[in-house]
Amino acid sequence: MRLWIKDVKCAWAAGVRGTNLVVGWCLAVLLFAGLRLLGEVPGWSVAGFSLILLTLVLSAWQLTQMALTFIGRRPAAWQSWQLVWRNKGTWLLVELGLILLTLPLGLWGLSSRLLVRLPVPAAWVNFVGLHRRSVGIVVALIYVIVAGYCLLWGPRHFRRLTPQIQHPGTARQILAALVISGGLYVSWLLVAEGLVGLNWWWGPQLSATAAQLLAWLSLSLILVGLLIAALLSMTTLVWSWCGQPAVPRPETSRRQTGALIGVMIFAAACISTQTVYQTPQFSQMALISHRGVDHGHGVQNTLGALRYVSRQHPAYVEMDLHETKDHQWVVLHDENLAALAGRNVTPHSLTLAQLERLTVHENGYHDRLVGWSTYLRTAERLHQPLLVEIKTTATDSKGMAARFARQYGARLAADHSAVHSLDYRVVTQVKRTVPELRVGYITPFNWVSPASIPADFYSFQRISVSQQFIQAAHQMGAQAYLWTPNSRAAMTRMWALGSDGQITNELTRLRDVANQRPAANWWAVLQNFVFSYL
C-alpha cells in the first residue's frame, strides 16, 4: 500500500510538472478562467464559442501528452498534435461524452452557463416538466449504464487514441482512481465549507469593505484549491487508464512550477473579483406566501390562512387551483385529498359543492375547502394580490385554461394579480386570451434557456437555479421568483443570487432576511460559488 501511494505521488508529479505539460496546464487554467468570466453574460458569442473549441482541442492534446508521458514515450509536442489530429473524430466524441457525464456534477462550475444557453423546443420542455419523475428515472438509468460502460471499457477506447499503451487500466484501477478523485474533491469541499463558515462567523463583525475583502480572499483560496484538486484528479484518472505504470519523478525547474502556481492565482483573482462585483446580488425582492401560509398558521389554500397572512401584506399570496367535476375551480394543491381530508378522492371526481363540504386538517388547524370565486372575493376585499397556480391533469376539460382566462383574466389584471403554471400550454393559452395579465412559467428544474419558454416571469425551482438563469430572465425583460426556500440559509443564498422574489412557507422569516445588512452576508455569495461546482 505504501509503495502504491508512492507511485500515485510520482504520477502526480509527472502528470502536472512533466515535460510540455506545465504549459498545457497553464493554458487550460486560462481557458477555464475565460469561460467562467464570459459565462456571466447570457447568450452565445464568438469569443465564447472560440474558447470552447480551443478548450476541447487543448484537452485532447493534454490528455494524449500525459498518457504518453506515463508510459515513458515523452514525445515532442508536435508528435502529440499529430496523434490528436489523426483521431480527431474519436476525440470529439470522447470529449462530448465526458461533458455529458459531468453535467450533473457541475462540469467544474460551467454546467449552468452551458445549460442556460441550450435552446430546446417549448413542447419538449413542457413534456419533461409534466413527466419529470418518469423522465428523471429513465435519464438516471441511462446515465448509470453509460457511466458504468465508460468505467469498464473506457481504457480500451482510450488505448485507440494512444496506441503505444500496451496494458490499459483495469476496472479495479479505474475504481481506485475514482476513489482518490472523490477524496480530493471531498477534501476541497471541507476546506471550502470551512471558509464559508469563517465568513459567516466573522463577516458581520467587520466593516463592509473588510467583509468584502475577506470574501474575495476566501473565494481565491477556494478556487485555487479546486484547480489543484482537478489537476490531480485528471492526472490520477489518466494514469489509471494507462494501467498505473511506475513513473519516475520528472526533472523540472522551479520556474515552471512557479509559473503554474502564478497562473492559478491570477485566474482565481480574476474570477473572485467578478464574483464579488457581479450583479444582480442582494436585490430588493418580492415576499410571496406559498399556498397562503406563514409558519404553519392555518391550513394551506384556505380562507383562514389567507386572512392571517394578508395582515403581513406580502407582494403576492401564491395559491393553487384544480378544476372540479362540474368545471368549476377549487382552491387546492394536491391531486388527491387523502393527506388533507382523509378521503381517497380527486378534485375532478367531485363537484365544487361536494368539495366545499369537506374539512381539511394541517398543522393542528382545520378549515373548509373553498371555491375559487369565494377565495378571489375575499382576497379583493383584503386588497391582497394573488399569484394563481393553475394545476392541470389528464381529466381537465378541453380549453380549461382559456375559459379561466376569459372569466377571470381581466379581473386578476385589475387586481395586480398574476398567474403561473407548470404546464406551458396554460401559460400560452392564458397570455393569448388576456395579454395584459402577467403570466409566468414554473420550472421544476432548470436545464434549458429561458428563451425557449417565453413568459412574463419565471418561478424557478431554487435547487437547480443559478445567477445565470436569473440574468437570462432579466435579459428577456422577465422577473425571476424562486421557490421554495424556507430556512434562513436558503433564503439568504437566494437573495445573494439576485432573485426578484421568493415564494416561501416562512414569510415572517423571509422578511427578517430581507431586512438584513447585505455586507453581513458575504458567506452566502461564497456558498453559492461552492455549490456551483457540485
Side-chain angles (χ1 to χ4, degrees), residues 125-126 129-130 132 333 389-392 420-427 440-445 459 483:
V125 179
N126 200 52
L130 294 176
R132 52 193 177 278
H333 174 272
E389 179 178 349
I390 300 178
K391 297 285 188 180
T392 59
H420 66 169
S421 180
L422 275 161
D423 193 332
Y424 194 65
R425 295 169 298 183
V426 171
V427 176
Y441 181 59
I442 305 171
T443 63
F445 43 82
S459 299
W483 60 276

Side-chain angles (χ1 to χ4, degrees), residues 350-383:
L350 300 176
T351 65
L352 179 59
Q354 291 173 316
L355 287 163
E356 287 180 322
R357 288 195 290 270
L358 294 179
T359 300
V360 287
H361 302 263
E362 190 179 40
N363 303 318
Y365 294 86
H366 66 274
D367 210 327
R368 291 289 184 90
L369 286 178
V370 61
W372 162 237
S373 297
T374 303
Y375 195 95
L376 177 59
R377 283 197 305 271
T378 303
E380 289 174 333
R381 189 168 63 252
L382 295 169
H383 304 288

Side-chain angles (χ1 to χ4, degrees), residues 162-182:
T162 50
Q164 292 91 338
I165 296 176
Q166 299 298 320
H167 304 287
T170 64
R172 184 176 180 180
Q173 289 173 328
I174 299 296
L175 183 60
L178 292 175
V179 170
I180 292 174
S181 299

Side-chain angles (χ1 to χ4, degrees), residues 501-521:
Q502 296 189 37
I503 305 171
T504 180
N505 296 307
E506 302 288 343
L507 190 65
T508 303
R509 185 178 297 164
L510 179 59
R511 192 180 302 279
D512 291 340
V513 168
N515 290 332
Q516 292 182 99
R517 186 170 62 102
N521 289 285

Side-chain angles (χ1 to χ4, degrees), residues 95-409:
E95 291 182 326
L96 291 177
L98 288 174
I99 289 173
L100 290 175
L101 288 175
T102 53
L103 272 178
L105 307 177
L107 194 59
W108 298 108
L110 300 176
S111 62
S112 62
R113 290 158 179 78
L114 175 63
L115 295 176
V116 78
R117 291 166 168 75
L118 184 64
V120 175
W124 295 11
V125 179
N126 200 52
F127 177 84
V128 172
L130 294 176
H131 303 87
R132 52 193 177 278
R133 291 182 178 84
S134 54
V135 170
I137 292 172
V138 171
V139 170
L141 288 174
I142 293 174
Y143 181 86
V144 170
I145 292 171
V146 172
Y149 177 83
C150 292
L151 173 63
L152 295 174
W153 298 97
R156 300 190 180 190
H157 293 294
F158 191 68
R159 184 180 183 182
R160 297 179 183 178
L161 302 175
T162 50
Q164 292 91 338
I165 296 176
Q166 299 298 320
H167 304 287
T170 64
R172 184 176 180 180
Q173 289 173 328
I174 299 296
L175 183 60
L178 292 175
V179 170
I180 292 174
S181 299
L184 290 168
Y185 198 58
V186 169
S187 299
W188 165 79
L189 184 59
L190 291 174
V191 172
E193 288 299 322
L195 289 169
V196 172
L198 174 65
N199 280 260
W200 171 82
W201 172 73
W202 198 13
Q205 305 173 41
L206 302 175
S207 65
T209 302
Q212 190 176 49
L213 178 60
L214 176 63
W216 184 87
L217 290 171
S218 300
L219 283 167
S220 299
L221 289 173
I222 288 171
L223 194 52
V224 169
L226 178 68
L227 291 172
I228 292 172
L231 263 60
L232 296 181
S233 295
M234 284 185 275
T235 299
T236 306
L237 188 59
V238 174
W239 177 61
S240 298
W241 279 346
C242 298
Q244 296 184 353
V247 182
R249 280 188 173 273
E251 295 180 2
T252 56
S253 66
R254 292 183 178 179
R255 182 178 300 177
Q256 287 181 308
T257 305
L260 178 56
I261 294 174
V263 168
M264 287 185 180
I265 294 174
F266 172 76
C270 292
I271 294 173
S272 298
T273 302
Q274 184 192 57
T275 302
V276 167
Y277 290 104
Q278 66 189 355
T279 56
Q281 200 163 261
F282 297 113
S283 306
Q284 185 176 0
M285 58 183 174
L287 312 183
I288 304 171
S289 169
H290 184 231
R291 303 186 194 176
V293 297
D294 176 32
H295 198 61
H297 286 281
V299 183
Q300 59 177 280
N301 286 313
T302 60
L303 291 181
L306 172 63
R307 293 189 184 100
Y308 176 86
V309 81
S310 67
R311 298 171 194 163
Q312 299 188 45
H313 306 291
Y316 294 105
V317 166
E318 195 267 354
M319 37 75 63
D320 309 275
L321 292 183
H322 271 289
E323 189 182 31
T324 64
K325 184 178 180 179
D326 54 346
H327 307 309
Q328 301 298 313
W329 287 277
V330 65
V331 183
L332 179 67
H333 174 272
D334 297 352
E335 293 184 15
N336 190 292
L337 284 156
L340 289 174
R343 295 280 302 276
N344 187 24
V345 293
T346 64
H348 197 271
S349 65
L350 300 176
T351 65
L352 179 59
Q354 291 173 316
L355 287 163
E356 287 180 322
R357 288 195 290 270
L358 294 179
T359 300
V360 287
H361 302 263
E362 190 179 40
N363 303 318
Y365 294 86
H366 66 274
D367 210 327
R368 291 289 184 90
L369 286 178
V370 61
W372 162 237
S373 297
T374 303
Y375 195 95
L376 177 59
R377 283 197 305 271
T378 303
E380 289 174 333
R381 189 168 63 252
L382 295 169
H383 304 288
Q384 176 59 63
L386 300 176
L387 179 54
V388 183
E389 179 178 349
I390 300 178
K391 297 285 188 180
T392 59
T393 67
T395 53
D396 291 333
S397 62
K398 185 177 181 180
M400 179 267 289
R403 179 165 56 86
F404 174 87
R406 286 193 298 270
Q407 288 183 240
Y408 298 103

